[in-house]
């Protein structure tokens, strides 16, 4: 019986992360968000919910919410193509409340 070569720590951690990651359309969208929409948009926004084909995106400001609403059709096309098992029909972009201090 041959013994398999040991796995690298990075490979083992990646596999463990994949096993522990939540399942479902929102989790899939959150994982794919930075790659699909780009780092600049991902820094300012995050998917917060999905219901009946409508993705709610929380944005750090009303300006970003408005900008993403304008980019909505383009983002929907990219998200539907880039995330397996997800069929979105609309984006709902909202400004998140500012973080509360201590």
């Amino acid at each position: 019986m041959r013994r398999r070569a040991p796995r690298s720590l990075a490979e083992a951690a990646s596999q463990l992360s994949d096993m522990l990651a939540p399942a479902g359309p929102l989790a899939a969208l959150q994982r794919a968000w930075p790659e699909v929409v780009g780092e600049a948009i991902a820094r300012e926004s995050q998917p917060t919910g999905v219901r009946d084909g409508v993705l709610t995106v929380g944005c750090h400001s009303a300006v970003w919410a408005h900008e993403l609403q304008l980019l909505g059709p383009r983002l929907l096309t990219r998200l539907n193509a880039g995330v397996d098992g997800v069929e979105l029909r609309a984006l709902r972009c909202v400004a998140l409340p500012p973080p509360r201090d201590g």
Side-chain angles (χ1 to χ4, degrees):
M1 179 186 279
R2 287 183 66 190
R3 229 175 144 180
R4 295 186 328 180
R7 293 184 297 179
S8 71
L9 182 58
E11 181 184 343
S14 176
Q15 287 178 347
L16 179 62
S17 175
D18 289 343
M19 288 178 4
L20 296 175
L26 179 59
L29 287 161
Q30 288 171 332
R31 281 191 299 275
W33 187 252
E35 183 179 327
V36 173
V37 302
E39 289 297 322
I41 292 174
R43 274 193 305 271
E44 300 296 333
S45 62
Q46 60 192 8
T48 58
V50 63
R51 185 174 183 174
D52 298 328
V54 178
L55 176 64
T56 301
V57 178
C59 302
H60 292 151
S61 70
V63 172
W64 271 102
H66 182 71
E67 182 69 22
L68 292 189
Q69 201 66 49
L70 293 173
L71 292 172
R74 188 177 316 156
L75 294 178
L76 283 173
T77 300
R78 292 169 62 184
L79 288 165
N80 284 328
V83 182
D84 290 335
V86 173
E87 189 63 38
L88 300 172
R89 59 179 179 80
L91 284 183
R92 178 178 169 261
C93 301
V94 297
L96 296 172
R100 297 177 78 184
D101 291 334

